[in-house]
């Protein structure tokens, strides 16, 4: 109770500090952008709002490295390349299972079979990125099944001929080769890209090699109809991290101390990787979209498809091949319809989306004794509908009110998956955002929204399994996460050079799903989890061509209801969430 009173006092103080004169600029509560430029374009770098940050990649080689500069985002890499764990990037304290990542509007979060709802950040090279849009929290009705928010990565498609090529070398044998080129003529625009990255092992056996290439087309069918098509392929290989501890017979002092990984699920009882063990995957994706312009608005229809296969190799301690299997790890697809209509002081947005999360039948080339068949145990369908209204009430007030309906259905996808349970969840989530112009330099904004998230593929699977005996969550009902999120902030132009924004947030989640993707894979609801804190963002203009960006994040978490026998992770707070950044 005292904590909620403290948060309320902070929010009230922020609101009262904003002043009370009037202006008529557009609200700034809903979207933040990182615009990426080449060094030659630094003359266009300075902006007059803290919500848009125009940056040069500099030494950053991946998107997580660039996102380190953003308040409210935590980046924790086990390795310098090829890390795709749930917690690589956290948004407002939530891992990849609890926020959405889009690439040109296509979901990047994979189905999550045998590895959580991971995002392979390495396969999105910075050289092909135009800008990154970030919505923190669940305040946008367009995006469902999220707590932390949305990261939308938008790639380049130049109207005039333009391109770049880069070769880079770094520590740990890092090598980068990047090329992209695009152009537009008349009704057609296109963009091609190629990226290769390799790096020697930092942790023992954890070398990485990746290659990506693709093409992007845009075509104006008519003055009111546009068509786009993206096709991409990724080939990557990464060595499994091997346990490396002093006192072990095979300890290698050339590498840091590490716990190592396991190959999941169990392959005949032997899950520990040995020297030379690796996985190699091939991912093919495509997405297409049609956009139709109507009077005072537009309608967009899109479709996306993922096809990923992952080969996993392991050896005995003596070096003999003990495992060679191919897992068809993602066969998901989905579609979305969205529209927008302007009518007087109102802008109406509406739409729906549907995702089929699937994986396929795998096979063994070398099968360990006791290993089971590789078949798709479960399938999940996610659907949603939304409607919202952005209303310019007057020159000082702007309101956004929305409503979203989400549904998840899940069950077995093969007759052999006798233990998989059937689930059907649905919920309505109202959203309310208000923006108030105090004067021509100050804006106050507030957001209240309903939170809802269905279990991920990995959570759904492990909750359904009765093994190992005595695992937490067995014979219980797994509920979706739900709750409320609150946000209040002030954006102020202090001077012609200095812009600042302070945002306080509080998210209260009931039935939080306590799950760690490691043995014994316990998955169950706890009573409550809360995430709260504030972010302070600043931009200061040094010259017409440069600016200083300073951000600070203060973040706290709390969990209640963790089973006393659950020794994986912290009992009273969320794991690996820094309090200061």
């Amino acid at each position: 109770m005292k904590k909620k009173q403290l948060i309320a006092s902070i929010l009230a103080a922020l609101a009262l500090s904003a002043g009370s004169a009037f202006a008529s600029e557009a609200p700034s509560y809903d979207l933040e952008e990182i615009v990426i430029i080449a060094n030659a374009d630094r003359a266009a770098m300075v902006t007059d709002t803290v919500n848009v940050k125009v940056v040069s990649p500099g030494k950053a080689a991946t998107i997580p490295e660039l996102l380190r500069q953003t308040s409210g985002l935590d980046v924790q890499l086990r390795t310098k390349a090829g890390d795709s764990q749930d917690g690589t990037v956290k948004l407002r304290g939530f891992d990849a299972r609890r926020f959405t990542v889009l690439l040109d509007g296509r979901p990047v979060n994979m189905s999550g079979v045998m590895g959580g709802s991971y995002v392979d950040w390495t396969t999105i090279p910075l050289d092909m990125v135009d800008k990154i849009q970030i919505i923190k929290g669940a305040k946008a009705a367009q995006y469902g099944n999220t707590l932390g928010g949305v990261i939308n990565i938008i790639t380049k498609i130049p109207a005039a001929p333009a391109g770049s090529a880069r070769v880079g070398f770094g520590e740990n044998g890092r090598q980068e080769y990047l090329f992209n080129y695009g152009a537009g003529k008349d009704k057609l625009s296109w963009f091609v890209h190629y990226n290769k990255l390799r790096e020697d092992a930092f942790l023992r056996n954890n070398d990485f090699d990746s290659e990506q290439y693709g093409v992007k087309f845009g075509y104006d069918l008519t003055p009111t109809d546009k068509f786009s098509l993206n096709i991409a392929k990724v080939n990557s290989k990464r060595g499994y991290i091997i346990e490396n501890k002093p006192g072990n017979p095979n300890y290698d002092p050339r590498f840091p101390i590490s716990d190592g990984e396991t190959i999941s699920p169990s392959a005949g009882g032997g899950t520990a990787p040995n020297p030379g063990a690796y996985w190699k995957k091939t991912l093919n994706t495509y997405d297409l979209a049609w956009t139709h312009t109507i009077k005072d608005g537009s309608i967009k229809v899109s479709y996306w498809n993922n096809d990923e296969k992952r080969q996993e190799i392991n050896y005995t301690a003596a070096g003999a091949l003990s495992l060679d299997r191919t897992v068809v790890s993602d066969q998901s697809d989905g579609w979305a319809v969205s529209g927008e209509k302007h009518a007087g002081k109102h802008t109406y947005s509406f739409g729906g989306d549907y995702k089929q999360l699937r994986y396929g039948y795998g096979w063994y080339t070398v099968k360990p004794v006791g290993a089971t068949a590789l078949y798709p145990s479960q399938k999940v369908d996610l659907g949603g509908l939304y409607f919202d209204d952005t209303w310019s009430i007057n020159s000082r007030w702007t309101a956004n009110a929305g409503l979203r309906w989400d549904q998840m259905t899940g069950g077995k996808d093969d007759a052999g998956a006798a233990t998989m349970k059937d689930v059907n969840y649905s919920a309505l989530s109202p959203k309310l955002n208000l923006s108030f112009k105090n004067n021509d330099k100050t804006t106050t904004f507030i957001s209240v929204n309903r939170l809802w998230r269905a279990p991920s593929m990995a959570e759904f699977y492990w909750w359904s399994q009765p093994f190992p005996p005595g695992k937490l969550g067995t014979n219980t009902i797994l509920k979706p996460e739900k709750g409320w999120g609150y946000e209040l902030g002030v954006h102020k132009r202090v001077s012609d050079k200095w812009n600042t924004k302070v945002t306080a947030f509080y998210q209260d989640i009931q039935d939080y799903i306590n799950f760690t993707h490691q043995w014994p894979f316990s998955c169950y609801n706890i009573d409550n989890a809360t995430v709260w804190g504030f972010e302070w963002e600043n931009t200061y203009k040094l010259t017409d061509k440069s600016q200083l960006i300073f951000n600070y994040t203060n973040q706290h978490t709390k969990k209640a209801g963790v089973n006393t026998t659950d020794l994986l992770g912290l009992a009273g707070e969320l794991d690996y969430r820094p309090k200061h950044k």
Side-chain angles (χ1 to χ4, degrees), residues 32 34 50-51 53 55 66-73 136 499-501 534-540 548-554 580-581:
E32 297 182 27
I34 300 175
V50 76
N51 285 333
K53 300 176 179 67
V55 300
L66 187 71
L67 291 176
R68 289 183 188 274
Q69 306 176 30
T70 306
S71 66
L73 276 88
K136 298 174 185 174
N499 286 273
T500 188
K501 182 172 74 169
F534 71 90
E535 300 159 358
W536 183 29
E537 302 171 76
N538 298 268
T539 59
Y540 188 86
L548 176 67
I549 298 174
F550 170 75
N551 297 324
Y552 171 72
T553 301
N554 182 282
H580 305 278
K581 174 178 176 288

Side-chain angles (χ1 to χ4, degrees), residues 1-2 13 54 71 80 113 141 148 150 186 222 238 261 263 314 330 332 453-454 457 495 535:
M1 184 67 182
K2 291 182 179 179
V54 184
S71 66
K80 302 187 70 176
V113 178
V150 179
D186 299 328
T222 70
R238 184 172 75 81
E261 294 181 289
I263 301 176
N314 196 15
D330 196 355
S332 302
R453 185 189 75 93
M457 284 277 275
S495 68
E535 300 159 358

Side-chain angles (χ1 to χ4, degrees), residues 157-159 183-190 216-229 289-293:
I157 184 159
K185 184 177 181 181
D186 299 328
K187 298 180 179 182
L188 177 67
S189 58
W190 55 274
K216 179 178 180 179
F217 293 103
Y219 187 76
D220 295 340
L221 299 169
T222 70
T224 59
D225 295 275
K226 296 183 178 181
F227 174 79
S228 64
L229 173 65
W290 167 70
T291 303
H292 177 65
T293 301

Side-chain angles (χ1 to χ4, degrees), residues 488-509:
L488 181 73
V490 176
H491 180 197
K492 186 176 182 63
R493 186 178 303 167
V494 181
S495 68
D496 292 340
K497 294 185 176 182
W498 181 21
N499 286 273
T500 188
K501 182 172 74 169
V502 179
T503 307
F505 58 91
Y506 184 88
Q507 292 181 293
D508 186 10
I509 305 139

Side-chain angles (χ1 to χ4, degrees), residues 396-408:
R396 302 176 70 179
W397 285 95
T398 299
N400 172 268
L403 184 65
R404 182 176 177 92
W405 172 79
D406 285 290
Q407 183 181 43
M408 170 195 167

Side-chain angles (χ1 to χ4, degrees), residues 32 34 63 67 70 73 89-91 99-109 121 131-136 143 146 148-154:
E32 297 182 27
I34 300 175
I63 289 175
L67 291 176
T70 306
L73 276 88
V89 175
K90 296 184 179 70
L91 179 56
F99 67 88
T100 298
V101 181
L102 306 172
L103 180 63
D104 292 323
R106 177 180 66 83
V108 176
N109 307 66
W121 299 96
K131 60 184 176 181
I132 302 171
Q133 299 175 328
I134 302 170
I135 300 175
K136 298 174 185 174
Y143 305 105
T146 181
V150 179
I151 298 176
N152 187 22
I153 303 163
I154 300 173

